[in-house]
Amino acid sequence: MDKLHQTLMRYFGHGTFKSGQEDIIRSVLHQKDTVAMLPTGGGKSLCYQIPGYMTDGLVLIISPLLSLMEDQVERMKMRGEKRVAALNSTLTFQERRHIIRHLPSYKFLFVAPEALMSEMLLEQLKSMRIGLFVVDEAHCISEWGHDFRPEYSKLGEWREALGHPVALALTATATKQTLKDTVQTLRLQQPDFHIHSVNRPNIALVKEVHETKEAKEKRAIELVDFLQGPGIIYCPTRQMTEELALYMKQKTNQRVEFYHGGMDAGDRMLIQQQFISDQLDLICCTSAFGMGIDKANIRFVIHMSPPQSIEAFMQEIGRAGRDGKNSVSILLYTEEDAEIQQHLIQADGFDDPEIDFYLAQLTQMQINDEKKLRERLMETGLQETRARMLTHYYMMHESEQRPAILKNLKEKLQDRQTEKLRKVWQFKERIMDHNCFRQSLLSYFHEQIDQTERASSDDCCSSCGLNLSDYEKKEQSLELNEMKHWKTVLDRMFHLTKEAQH
C-alpha cells in the first residue's frame, strides 16, 4: 500500500477512492493548479483533506455559505481533527481575533470570501505558508453562472497576495464558460482539469405537466404519500415554502418544516440539523437550502417549478442518493412556469430611477471599501443579494466619470438579466422536448449518455418509460424495528449505569 492509500486508510478508514478522487489528489500533490468537477456526493472534501495531511502548510478553504463550512468543520471534528476552524459572520469579534492570532496552530481554515477583506487576517496569512488554496463551489466565480458570488471575483488577487499557493477549484456543475472564468479569475497557471460527468445514474428523472398550480400541489401530496422518503421539495418563492409545508402537515402524516433565506439563522440551522439527523421527513424550501447538506439517504427531490437554469436544477437534484442508492427527481411544471421565472428575474432587476438613486448613494460615500458600500445600500432597504451585485459592478468602474459609470452599470445589469432569461428559456425547451430528458439535460454540458449504462438501466427518465412504483414507500422491516428496540435498551442501560456511578 503506497503512502496515499495509507493516508486514506489512516484518516478515513477507506481502502479505495471514489471515482476521480485519486487523480485529483495526485495532481495537487504534484503542485499543479487543479480544476475538478465531481458530481454531488462524489467526495470533493477528501480532495483537499488528504493533501492537507500529506503536505506542509495551512489548507485555506474558501466556502460561500455558512451552513456549508459549519457542516464541514463539524464532520472533521467528529472524525477527530482538532486543527480546524471557520471564520465567518456568526463569530464575535473576540472569537475571530482569537482564531486569527492562533492561525499557526491550525491545519485547515474555512473562510467566507468576504473574510479575506480583513487586513488583520490577510497580514497573518501572508506570514504563514499556505500549502493549498481551495475554492469550494467554484461555479460561484462566474458572473454568468447560476450562483454568482461577487466576492469570488477577488480570489485571484488575494491568492497572489498570499504568494501564489497551489490552487484547487472544486464544483459539481459547470459549463465550459464557467470553467474558463474559473481559470481566469483565480489566475491559474496551466492547470490540470479533471472533469467528470454531471450525470447521476442512480437518480431517475421525472417531468410532469399540469394545468394549474393547485393541480401541482395536489400531485405533490400524492407523491409524498407514495414515495419512500426522506425528501426535499423545492419551491420558487419563500411564501410557497410556508404554505406548502402547512398543507403537507394537514394532508399527510409526515414530519415537515419549511426553510428559506428570510428565516432567522438559528431557526435555519435547527431545521437543517433536524433533517440531517432524521427528525424530519420532508423539507419545503427555496434554493437557499442545499449546499453543505450532507445527508446521504435523501430518496426524492421534487421541484414545484423549474429553477432558473439547468445548472441549478442539476445541483439541486444532486441532494438525492448520495449513498449511491436509487432515488428520484420529479419536476412538476405548467406552461406558465417559465413566465413566472421571467417575472421573478425582471422584478429582481433595476429600473433607471433605482440605478440613479443607488449610484448617488455610492458616489456620496467617496470610499472604495466594497463591504461598507454594500452595507450603505442595505441601510436604504436594498436586499443583500441585489446590493452585492450592484456594488460589485460599481467597483469595476468606480474610477470613471459618473456618466460612464451609469452607462456601464446599466449595460452590466441588463446583460446579466438577459443571460438569466436566456437560461430560463433554454431549460423550458428541454422540458417540453419529448426525447430522453436525461440526454437533453446532459447535452447542455456537451455530454452524451453512456450507451452501455443506458442499456443496463430501467431507471432513466419518464421519457424512457420509467415506472415510479420502484420508488414506492416500503413497510418498515422487522430488522429495523429490532435495531431500534436494541438501541433503546442500550440507551436505558447506559442511563442506569450513569445513575449508579453518582
Side-chain angles (χ1 to χ4, degrees):
M1 186 183 292
D2 64 11
K3 186 179 178 182
L4 179 57
H5 286 82
Q6 287 174 358
T7 306
L8 176 66
M9 178 59 71
R10 176 184 174 188
Y11 290 99
F12 299 93
H14 301 313
T16 58
F17 289 99
K18 289 185 178 181
S19 176
Q21 286 180 324
E22 183 173 349
D23 289 340
I24 295 165
I25 292 168
R26 290 193 184 279
S27 176
V28 171
L29 291 175
H30 286 124
Q31 299 292 292
K32 293 282 292 181
D33 289 342
T34 305
V35 179
M37 189 167 89
L38 283 174
T40 305
K44 291 184 285 296
S45 61
L46 199 78
C47 296
Y48 57 78
Q49 290 180 41
I50 292 277
Y53 289 122
M54 296 182 67
T55 58
D56 295 330
L58 177 73
V59 178
L60 183 66
I61 306 109
I62 293 89
S63 186
L65 288 182
L66 300 183
S67 61
L68 190 62
M69 64 175 74
E70 293 292 345
D71 181 68
Q72 292 283 6
V73 169
E74 195 60 36
R75 278 189 288 150
M76 291 179 73
K77 286 182 175 179
M78 287 176 66
R79 211 183 60 245
E81 179 54 68
K82 306 299 183 187
R83 302 167 300 164
V84 57
L87 276 174
N88 55 51
S89 58
T90 65
L91 303 179
T92 64
F93 174 76
Q94 289 77 14
E95 288 171 330
R96 286 198 299 272
R97 185 169 62 179
H98 176 81
I99 291 174
I100 292 171
R101 285 181 173 176
H102 294 85
L103 274 187
S105 64
Y106 293 104
K107 181 64 180 179
F108 300 93
L109 180 67
F110 289 82
V111 297
E114 56 269 21
L116 290 174
M117 295 179 182
S118 163
E119 283 297 324
M120 185 192 303
L121 173 60
L122 208 55
E123 288 306 311
Q124 178 72 303
L125 288 172
K126 285 178 183 178
S127 70
M128 298 175 59
R129 171 179 166 77
I130 307 299
L132 184 59
F133 187 93
V134 182
V135 181
D136 203 6
E137 307 296 340
H139 57 271
C140 296
I141 283 174
S142 177
E143 69 174 283
W144 308 117
H146 71 281
D147 206 11
F148 175 51
R149 298 289 199 278
E151 297 84 359
Y152 266 54
S153 63
K154 296 184 180 295
L155 292 182
E157 175 187 328
W158 288 327
R159 178 173 168 246
E160 284 197 348
L162 297 176
H164 228 271
V166 174
L168 171 61
L170 295 163
T171 185
T173 54
T175 61
K176 288 183 176 180
Q177 181 60 52
T178 300
L179 294 173
K180 180 180 177 183
D181 291 345
T182 299
V183 173
Q184 291 179 342
T185 300
L186 294 179
R187 305 174 188 181
L188 304 183
Q189 302 298 315
Q190 298 179 322
D192 280 352
F193 287 89
H194 296 272
I195 310 301
H196 294 261
S197 175
V198 298
N199 188 26
R200 293 281 301 280
N202 67 310
I203 303 177
L205 304 175
V206 175
K207 55 178 181 175
E208 296 181 0
V209 63
H210 294 273
E211 292 296 324
T212 63
K213 174 191 170 190
E214 291 71 27
K216 288 196 295 185
E217 290 174 351
K218 182 180 178 182
R219 177 56 173 159
I221 293 289
E222 293 173 355
L223 289 167
V224 168
D225 270 336
F226 176 78
L227 294 171
Q228 178 67 43
I232 297 175
I233 302 183
Y234 280 106
C235 304
T237 65
R238 294 175 177 180
Q239 181 180 344
M240 189 173 182
T241 67
E242 299 184 17
E243 292 174 350
L244 189 62
L246 178 61
Y247 190 42
M248 288 287 173
K249 287 179 180 177
Q250 293 170 343
K251 298 293 184 180
T252 74
N253 61 357
Q254 302 290 298
R255 298 168 297 174
V256 188
E257 286 296 344
F258 62 85
Y259 182 109
H260 58 66
M263 297 168 61
D264 177 77
D267 291 339
R268 291 202 307 270
M269 291 187 72
L270 174 62
I271 289 169
Q272 177 179 311
Q273 289 307 313
Q274 286 177 328
F275 186 59
I276 289 173
S277 59
D278 293 321
Q279 295 171 7
L280 294 172
D281 305 304
L282 181 68
I283 297 288
C284 298
C285 58
T286 62
S287 58
F289 186 81
M291 285 187 185
I293 307 304
D294 187 21
K295 183 172 173 64
N297 66 335
I298 295 171
R299 297 274 69 91
F300 68 83
V301 173
I302 297 173
H303 279 86
M304 296 303 294
S305 74
Q308 290 182 359
S309 71
I310 295 169
E311 297 103 307
F313 181 69
M314 298 300 285
Q315 189 93 16
E316 289 167 6
I317 69 172
R319 313 298 169 209
R322 291 176 68 124
D323 54 9
K325 296 179 180 178
N326 286 348
S327 308
V328 63
S329 155
I330 301 175
L331 172 61
L332 308 177
Y333 69 100
T334 66
E335 293 284 354
E336 292 77 29
D337 278 337
E339 285 78 8
I340 292 171
Q341 290 290 7
Q342 177 177 329
H343 173 75
L344 291 172
I345 290 170
Q346 290 171 337
D348 201 38
F350 296 87
D351 57 31
D352 286 355
E354 283 182 306
I355 296 175
D356 288 334
F357 172 76
Y358 292 123
L359 180 56
Q361 300 298 315
L362 293 169
T363 53
Q364 283 171 11
M365 291 189 68
Q366 297 182 340
I367 59 172
N368 63 354
D369 185 319
E370 188 165 339
K371 183 180 179 182
K372 289 180 179 178
L373 290 170
R374 182 174 70 240
E375 288 171 350
R376 172 66 187 131
L377 293 186
M378 290 169 64
E379 287 170 3
T380 69
L382 188 61
Q383 191 260 346
E384 182 178 2
T385 304
R386 300 177 77 208
R388 285 178 184 275
M389 188 63 60
L390 194 60
T391 308
H392 172 68
Y393 286 144
Y394 169 75
M395 290 296 292
M396 291 172 63
H397 301 284
E398 55 94 18
S399 61
E400 300 169 2
Q401 295 297 314
R402 194 179 188 283
I405 296 175
L406 185 62
K407 176 177 177 293
N408 286 315
L409 267 182
K410 289 180 179 179
E411 287 180 355
K412 276 285 187 183
L413 292 167
Q414 182 58 54
D415 287 348
R416 178 167 173 77
Q417 187 176 93
T418 299
E419 178 64 13
K420 291 177 78 171
L421 289 171
R422 186 178 71 85
K423 292 193 174 195
V424 167
W425 295 111
Q426 278 183 321
F427 198 2
K428 181 178 180 180
E429 287 175 3
R430 285 165 168 80
I431 293 170
M432 303 306 292
D433 186 358
H434 295 297
N435 295 318
C436 173
F437 188 36
R438 187 180 300 273
Q439 179 55 67
S440 185
L441 293 172
L442 291 178
S443 68
Y444 178 79
F445 299 95
H446 304 283
E447 285 191 40
Q448 294 290 322
I449 290 181
D450 185 330
Q451 293 305 315
T452 58
E453 179 183 282
R454 172 184 273 177
S456 64
S457 174
D458 297 323
D459 301 315
C460 180
C461 65
S462 50
S463 305
C464 297
L466 173 77
N467 188 347
L468 262 182
S469 64
D470 293 338
Y471 304 90
E472 187 175 358
K473 196 169 289 180
K474 299 171 181 63
E475 293 298 324
Q476 188 167 300
S477 67
L478 180 62
E479 181 184 0
L480 184 58
N481 285 328
E482 288 176 348
M483 286 174 62
K484 286 188 174 181
H485 168 70
W486 282 108
K487 184 176 185 297
T488 303
V489 171
L490 287 170
D491 285 345
R492 189 180 298 120
M493 289 170 62
F494 179 70
H495 178 67
L496 290 172
T497 303
K498 285 184 71 177
E499 285 188 337
Q501 291 172 343
H502 284 288

